Structures are given as C-alpha cells and as structure tokens.
Amino acid sequence: MSTAPYGVEHLDVLVLGAGISGIGAGRYLRVEHPSKSFAILEARAASGGTWDLFRYPGIRSDSDLHTFGYEFEPWRDKESIASAPRILDYLRKTATKNGLDDHIRYHHKVLAADWSAEEARWLVEVERTDTGERLHLTAGWIFCAGGYYRYDEGFTPKFEGRERFTGQIVHPQHWPSDLDYAGKKVVVIGSGATAVTLIPAMVEDAAHVTMLQRTPSYIMPVPKQDALANLFKRVLGDERGYALTRRKNIAQQRAVWAFCQRHPKLARKIIRTVNAKQLPEGYAVDEHFNPPYNPWDQRLCAVPDGDLFKAIRSGKASVVTDRIATFTENGILLESGEELEADVIVTATGLNLQLFGGMKLSIDGRPVDPAETVVHRGMMLSGVPNFSIAIGYTNSSWTLKIGLVCEYFCKLLAHMDSHGYDTAWAVADPDMPTRPLLDFGAGYVQRSLAGLPKQGPTAPWLMSMSYQDDRKLLRDGDVIDDSLHFTRAAARAADITDTTTDATTLEGATA
Ligand SMILES: Cc1cc2nc3c(=O)[nH]c(=O)nc-3n(C[C@H](O)[C@H](O)[C@H](O)COP(=O)(O)OP(=O)(O)OC[C@H]3O[C@@H](n4cnc5c(N)ncnc54)[C@H](O)[C@@H]3O)c2cc1C
C-alpha cells in the first residue's frame, strides 16, 4: 500500500498532457468546478501536443476545425482545414482566455501512479524532463489526456538494406528543421494522411516526389474553405455561425460514414469517379487509388482542394504501388524490379500506439494490466478507481468525443461531491464477453490491440464511435449506472481489490 511522502502537494485532479484534450479538460474543470485544485502536467516544453510535435512540410488537420475545435470556442478562421500553426494559435489562445496558463506545468512527465484505497488518492511519480529530478504529488483523480501514440519514436518497419542508402532517411515525427530537399528526388513511403499531406507541400521545392505505397488509401478532395460555414458566420456572427456549422458537419460526417458502412460498393464507385476526374486522362486509378478494404474501414484521407491530385497532374509527383525489395545505395529496389532513385527517403510509416502517456498504473502496489480492463463509457477502466482516459473518435473528429467525456467527467465529480463520495470505480461482470477496444484497421492500431483495454458488447461498456450515441449516454443520460460503484469509507480497499475483470474474450468467437 502506498503512503504519500510527508508534505507532498495534493491536487483534486491531475490532468496528464497539454494537448487539445488536456487543455479542453482544464477549461471544463475551471468552469464546472472552480473550487477544485488541478494542474495539467505536460512532459514537453510546449503545449499543443500533436500540433507542436509534428513539423513536417504542410502539416495540417484533415478534420474540419468546426468539429475538431472546442464546442465552447468558435473557430474564426476562414479555412476550415487548418495548418498546425493555426491550430496551435487557437489552442494557446483558448488556454490563455480560460485562465489555464498558470495551471500547465511544463517539463513534467508522469511516470507512474499508485492508487491507495485507504487514502483514496493517487500517489504520482513525476520526472522533470529539464533537470531529471523526480518528484511526487498526490491526486484525487487522474484525467489522462496523453494522446494515443509514443512521442519519443515513430513507427518504422525494418527495411532490408537500409544502411546501404547513401542519402538521407527522415521520419515525419522527427523532421530535421534544416532538411534541404530543394531540387532533390524524394520518395515518401506510405499512403496515409501524413504522406498525402507531404507530397503537395514538398513538390514546390523538390525535383520530384514519389509516393511509394504498398496498399492504396481512399483519398477524397475537400474544400479548404467551407463556403457555407463562412456565410453562416457572416450572417449570424462567429458564435452562432460556428454552432450551426458544427451541427451541419457532425450530421454530414455521420451521414457519410453511415452511407459508406451501408453501401460500401456504391461508396467505392463514387470515390473512384471523383478520383478519376481529378487525375490525368488514362491514369491507372484502379492500381493506385483502389484500396482492398471498404471506405471508412480505415480513416479516409482528405486532401484540401484536391492538392495531391494537382501535384500529380503537374507531373512533379507520382504514385507507385509496389513492395520494397531492398534499399540500395541510390534509392529503393522494388519487388517488380523497378528501382526508384532518391536523394531523400521519408518513412511516413506511422505511429507507435501508446495509451496513458506510457505511465505505469498500480492499485495498492499491484500493477494494473490494461489488457485485463474493460472500458466504461469510453472513459473509465473497470477496477481502476478515479481514473479516466481521453480517447477520441477515429471515424470523425477526435475532439467531438473528448468534449462529451469532459462534460460527463465534470458531472461525475459533481455527483460524488454531492454524496460525499471520494472513490468511483466501474465493475465489469467477469463473464461479460469482450472484444478489442478499437474496430479500426489502421496498422498502428492492429499492431497494439492485444495490450489495450477491451470493450464490452453493449453500453456502458462500448467504446462508441458514434457522437449521437455518446451524446445520449454522456450528455443526456444518467450520471450513474449499475456498474459504477462509489465509496466514502476506509473499508473500500477490499472491494476494489477484487473487481478488476478477467472477462473472457469474444475475439475467437467473432473471428
Ligand atoms: C499528424 C497528425 C494529424 C492528425 N490530424 C487529425 C485530424 O485532422 N483530426 C482528428 O480528429 N485527429 C487527428 N489526429 C489525431 C490527433 O492526435 C488528435 O486528434 C488530437 O490532436 C489528440 O489530442 P490529445 O490532446 O488527445 O493528444 P496529443 O495531441 O497527443 O497530446 C498529448 C499530450 O500529452 C503529453 N504527454 C504524453 N505522455 C505524457 C506523460 N507521461 N506525462 C506528461 N505529459 C504527457 C504529450 O507531450 C502531449 O503534449 C492527427 C494525428 C497526427 C499524428
């Protein structure tokens, strides 16, 4: 059992991470629980998370900012698909406007947290990333907004002959600020959102950019500026115009996603027709833009104003669909026998998925194995008291879910306060069938599913990807349900110790 070292600081809520989710959580806490003490612990020297970390050319959202932005803070920019600097500016201004700057503690990396059932608080170990110093504090609740991937390294598969290549190899997560690719031949390996962003941005200076993909993705042009959104804002003002556009876009995203799920063949045909119109006459659309999976089984890539297609039409960018046999001194030899010459190779091969910011969790000294937990309302883990996670949508804007989670979290705290509870935890029926947390085909998700928490078959145990369902559950529904337990007495220790589920899994049954 952990005991806090004498004299350590206590926070009512510790928010981990000052990205868009952590800043959002801070704002909800300030407004809904002004008397609670909280701090946002951020491992890096700056806020913004994803939008500060990634520095590759052209870095931008592929969601529209009317749904990616906060519900409480209008997106005022004319461009609804926005560059990272504009998103950062919005985030940082929102933090300042809501009095959060003094709550963010930079260079504070949360390493571990141990729950003391007796004291009803987390003992948290933190590393100062600037000095290496270790410090401790206690927290009544941990709101984990550490994102979903490792910050220290991106994912790069093993490439045969990599050491032979005499040019430069770059991962988008670690973009060298002095990388000079002017007049050079660039090969970008990958076909996801990062690759399709990089190519139109790099063709401006590079001699030629080749997108080398093993498997095509669905790619759709979207307008950079949403004419209707800008009209709404002009006529109704920023606040009401934003709210209306947000409603429109939520409905639109849902409709497109549902259409693709219901009519995958027709959706595929429509996307192909749009792609063919954007590509040069006689282009091999079926070879390079025809994925083996259905639309929205993986995230669909949006290209603002069709910039990727323009780059291809200009002749300065091309797409090659093939497999890598080996890197060579001068580039990449493909399994087809073709060799792609390159001065610079960009490995846009993805992320390494990681939840909880890499923090180790334990309860009274017993390690928590996330894979043995089941997610409750998409934000708590069975058997883990006073702990919530901020995992957004993979089929629409991440932040739509985070807003609902923050609202629910604040209601839960208010419920506990009004009943004098200090501990809340969810109990899953050990016989409940479970399945992987995310039904998403992306490689980085598939590689890590085994170690992640599970989800159950029905609410409140679903990791819902539906804003409409989550609204009903998290915003409009009851704060409590039968699986949520609360205590205020010291005797709770024994209860919690026995409730981490060892539910059987459905993986085999549903395969
Ligand atoms: C290139 C790129 C583009 C994307 N575009 C979109 C998009 O258009 N739409 C969309 O919906 N999603 C997009 N995503 C997903 C995107 O990451 C999320 O939407 C959103 O930015 C996540 O915000 P977050 O605050 O939850 O996490 P993050 O932005 O990852 O922020 C997490 C923060 O927590 C900090 N942290 C982590 N671990 C610790 C720790 N142990 N201690 C202290 N601090 C810690 C990190 O330093 C970071 O600041 C994109 C992702 C990438 C990589």
Side-chain angles (χ1 to χ4, degrees):
M1 189 170 303
S2 61
T3 308
Y6 179 73
V8 303
E9 179 190 9
H10 178 73
L11 299 166
D12 292 326
V13 182
L14 183 161
V15 177
L16 183 154
I20 195 166
S21 304
I23 290 173
R27 182 271 177 190
Y28 280 92
L29 282 168
R30 282 271 297 182
V31 172
E32 303 297 329
H33 292 281
S35 61
K36 285 207 188 295
S37 59
F38 74 93
I40 304 174
L41 267 57
E42 170 52 56
R44 303 179 68 243
S47 62
T50 298
W51 304 102
D52 185 65
L53 177 74
F54 282 81
R55 304 283 174 99
Y56 58 77
I59 164 87
R60 58 157 174 82
S61 69
D62 53 4
S63 296
D64 70 279
L65 263 290
H66 298 96
T67 55
F68 192 68
Y70 299 113
E71 182 158 23
F72 56 83
E73 183 61 42
W75 174 255
R76 294 185 162 85
D77 207 294
K78 276 206 162 61
E79 294 188 355
S80 69
I81 304 287
S83 66
R86 288 180 189 209
I87 298 174
L88 272 182
D89 184 55
Y90 167 82
L91 286 182
R92 290 175 180 162
K93 283 190 175 139
T94 304
T96 302
K97 186 173 165 185
N98 288 280
L100 295 173
D101 291 334
D102 291 342
H103 287 264
I104 305 177
R105 298 183 192 173
Y106 295 107
H107 295 296
H108 280 62
K109 181 176 188 177
V110 180
L111 299 180
D114 184 45
W115 174 256
S116 162
E118 192 182 310
E119 294 172 24
R121 53 182 60 186
W122 290 98
L123 173 61
V124 184
E125 188 182 1
V126 177
E127 181 190 53
R128 288 287 314 234
T129 49
D130 48 352
T131 61
E133 182 194 349
R134 294 279 166 108
L135 48 101
H136 290 93
L137 46 84
T138 60
W141 196 290
I142 296 178
F143 186 95
C144 184
Y148 65 101
Y149 61 85
R150 278 177 66 162
Y151 268 64
D152 55 346
E153 56 170 43
F155 175 73
T156 312
K158 188 179 156 8
F159 292 119
E160 206 51 49
R162 185 189 165 112
E163 65 295 339
R164 285 168 60 193
F165 181 58
T166 50
Q168 206 167 350
I169 302 177
V170 175
H171 192 286
Q173 194 166 327
H174 312 281
W175 197 267
S177 56
D178 58 353
L179 182 72
D180 178 15
Y181 54 86
K184 294 189 176 164
K185 283 184 259 173
V186 180
V187 173
V188 178
I189 303 173
S191 61
T194 303
V196 305
T197 303
L198 271 168
I199 283 140
M202 293 186 84
V203 287
E204 286 179 17
D205 294 322
H208 189 87
V209 187
T210 306
M211 178 162 107
L212 170 59
Q213 57 180 14
R214 194 169 55 181
T215 316
S217 302
Y218 287 105
I219 299 174
M220 279 293 275
V222 292
K224 204 171 188 177
Q225 293 198 14
D226 179 340
L228 216 47
N230 292 337
L231 175 72
F232 289 164
K233 277 190 258 186
R234 255 198 325 274
V235 176
L236 301 170
D238 277 352
E239 312 254 331
R240 285 197 298 153
Y242 175 69
L244 186 59
T245 307
R246 193 174 163 90
R247 280 209 295 279
K248 163 182 87 69
N249 290 4
I250 289 171
Q252 201 170 296
Q253 280 176 13
R254 183 69 192 166
V256 169
W257 185 81
F259 178 81
C260 291
Q261 297 292 310
R262 233 169 274 149
H263 309 286
K265 277 195 188 137
L266 184 55
R268 183 188 282 267
K269 222 167 148 180
I270 294 170
I271 296 172
R272 191 196 179 283
T273 308
V274 173
N275 288 171
K277 270 206 180 127
Q278 298 264 330
L279 289 160
E281 185 87 27
Y283 191 87
V285 187
D286 293 322
E287 186 182 346
H288 303 309
F289 289 90
N290 188 18
Y293 53 86
N294 286 327
W296 270 119
D297 282 357
Q298 295 192 26
R299 207 180 174 105
L300 193 139
C301 294
V303 289
D305 295 342
D307 58 5
L308 176 77
F309 299 109
K310 267 186 215 144
I312 295 172
R313 286 201 305 270
S314 76
K316 282 190 79 184
S318 50
V319 182
V320 171
T321 307
D322 206 328
R323 285 174 172 267
I324 296 172
T326 179
F327 279 30
T328 63
E329 285 71 14
N330 303 322
I332 298 176
L333 180 66
L334 302 170
E335 286 188 357
S336 63
E338 187 189 349
E339 185 166 359
L340 294 177
E341 275 186 30
D343 303 304
V344 178
I345 296 176
V346 181
T347 53
T349 42
L351 307 162
N352 271 316
L353 199 135
Q354 171 181 272
L355 295 189
F356 320 144
M359 166 183 45
K360 302 251 174 306
L361 284 176
S362 54
I363 298 174
D364 288 328
R366 265 185 327 110
V368 171
D369 178 356
E372 285 184 7
T373 66
V374 188
V375 78
H376 180 264
R377 293 184 185 232
M379 58 84 76
M380 283 180 75
L381 302 179
S382 60
V384 184
N386 293 23
F387 181 81
S388 40
I389 53 174
I391 304 291
Y393 295 125
T394 51
N395 61 354
S396 63
S397 289
W398 173 271
T399 33
L400 282 176
K401 171 121 181 179
I402 305 303
L404 294 174
V405 164
C406 290
E407 279 181 37
Y408 174 73
F409 171 54
C410 287
K411 283 197 293 182
L412 186 60
L413 292 184
H415 174 84
M416 291 172 70
D417 287 349
S418 67
H419 290 80
Y421 299 136
D422 55 25
T423 306
W425 77 105
V427 180
D429 177 349
D431 296 324
M432 176 171 71
T434 61
R435 61 193 166 96
L437 184 69
L438 301 169
D439 303 316
F440 207 59
Y444 66 90
V445 174
Q446 293 300 318
R447 280 195 298 276
S448 312
L449 276 178
L452 301 186
K454 305 285 185 280
Q455 62 172 316
T458 50
W461 299 105
L462 278 181
M463 188 68 191
S464 157
M465 286 292 148
S466 157
Y467 178 76
Q468 284 72 10
D469 291 351
D470 278 331
R471 237 178 98 125
K472 278 188 211 136
L473 183 72
L474 299 172
R475 178 178 286 174
D476 305 329
D478 285 342
V479 179
I480 54 168
D481 59 57
D482 292 346
S483 45
L484 257 187
H485 294 241
F486 299 92
T487 60
R488 60 172 86 90
R492 59 194 161 242
D495 295 349
I496 295 163
T497 311
D498 291 339
T499 50
T500 309
T501 185
D502 61 354
T504 51
T505 106
L506 259 187
E507 278 169 75
T510 53

